[in-house]
Amino acid sequence: MNKGDRFGDMNKLEDLLKQAQGDSPAPVERWDPPYCGDIGLSILRDGQWHYQGSAIPRPALVKLFARVLRRDEDGRFFLVTPAEKVDVAVADAPFIAVEMQASGRGRSQSLLFRTNVDDVIKCGAEHPLRFVAGEPDHGLKPYVHVRGRLEALVARALVYDLVELADRGPDGAGLGLWSDGTFFPLPEAG
């Protein structure tokens, strides 16, 4: 990379991605390219992508990168193309669920989520919802499975909507959320 070309590595990745991709997520789980190191990519807690400390200003580029993001069994995140694999530092979840649509009620309820990179997920057995107790005074943090080992943190504004949709579980006890015939229990207050 030339010193004057601050985005050289990123532009090279973008070209590789365009050659290897359509509009859907790539089969990154099947690719095993050589590891090429850390080029300074990161995803902040708010879902904003950065390259060498600066925000990536092009949403189309972020969406392109999101299609080749992978989390390995050891918990590390990588951008993966057929030709190379580079580190991505992720502060929390790589995606944020920014929009939700609920239809039906109780056991017949269905929850759809849209992420900040425009993935649309129907919550259910294949895309479960899980809850993590946040730091003191930060409440519950819900996550929805997107693909592979990747999740989206549900935006705080949607958490309030989720709470309003809480219902009794299959045994009539305990609160949680139904979606696509699956019940996701809320943790009991401790």
Side-chain angles (χ1 to χ4, degrees):
M1 176 171 83
N2 298 333
K3 288 189 177 205
D5 186 7
R6 185 169 189 287
F7 294 99
D9 285 338
M10 193 167 63
N11 291 332
K12 184 173 104 178
L13 268 177
E14 181 179 10
D15 291 341
L16 284 169
L17 291 174
K18 284 180 179 175
Q19 292 170 17
Q21 296 273 98
D23 286 335
S24 60
V28 295
E29 306 301 329
R30 296 192 313 245
W31 293 343
D32 190 23
Y35 174 67
C36 296
D38 184 348
I39 63 169
L41 284 168
S42 62
I43 304 172
L44 305 182
R45 288 188 189 286
D46 65 0
Q48 189 175 69
W49 289 58
H50 280 237
Y51 176 67
Q52 295 184 353
S54 296
I56 298 176
R58 296 170 28 210
L61 183 57
V62 168
K63 289 177 186 179
L64 187 65
F65 285 169
R67 291 197 323 247
V68 294
L69 185 65
R70 179 175 86 192
R71 185 176 189 183
D72 285 355
E73 286 182 16
D74 63 4
R76 291 177 64 193
F77 292 87
F78 299 97
L79 283 190
V80 181
T81 73
E84 61 188 7
K85 175 169 92 170
V86 297
D87 284 295
V88 180
V90 178
D92 190 345
F95 309 124
I96 306 292
V98 294
E99 190 175 352
M100 181 182 75
Q101 177 183 342
S103 60
R105 196 74 185 134
R107 290 176 189 251
S108 63
Q109 181 170 264
S110 185
L111 301 174
L112 287 176
F113 292 95
R114 183 182 64 81
T115 70
N116 59 319
V117 293
D118 290 334
D119 284 312
V120 176
I121 302 111
K122 183 177 186 182
C123 183
E126 290 185 34
H127 297 282
L129 189 61
R130 72 179 181 95
F131 300 91
V132 174
E135 298 170 14
D137 300 327
H138 286 92
L140 229 43
K141 292 171 58 174
Y143 295 84
V144 64
H145 174 260
V146 177
R147 65 179 169 275
R149 294 182 191 90
L150 302 176
E151 294 180 309
L153 173 64
V154 176
R156 182 166 298 281
L158 299 181
V159 172
Y160 299 110
D161 295 335
L162 286 175
V163 169
E164 288 182 20
L165 296 172
D167 203 350
R168 295 277 170 203
D171 59 2
L175 288 177
L177 294 154
W178 287 96
S179 186
D180 202 29
T182 304
F183 183 73
F184 303 99
L186 288 164
E188 294 187 23

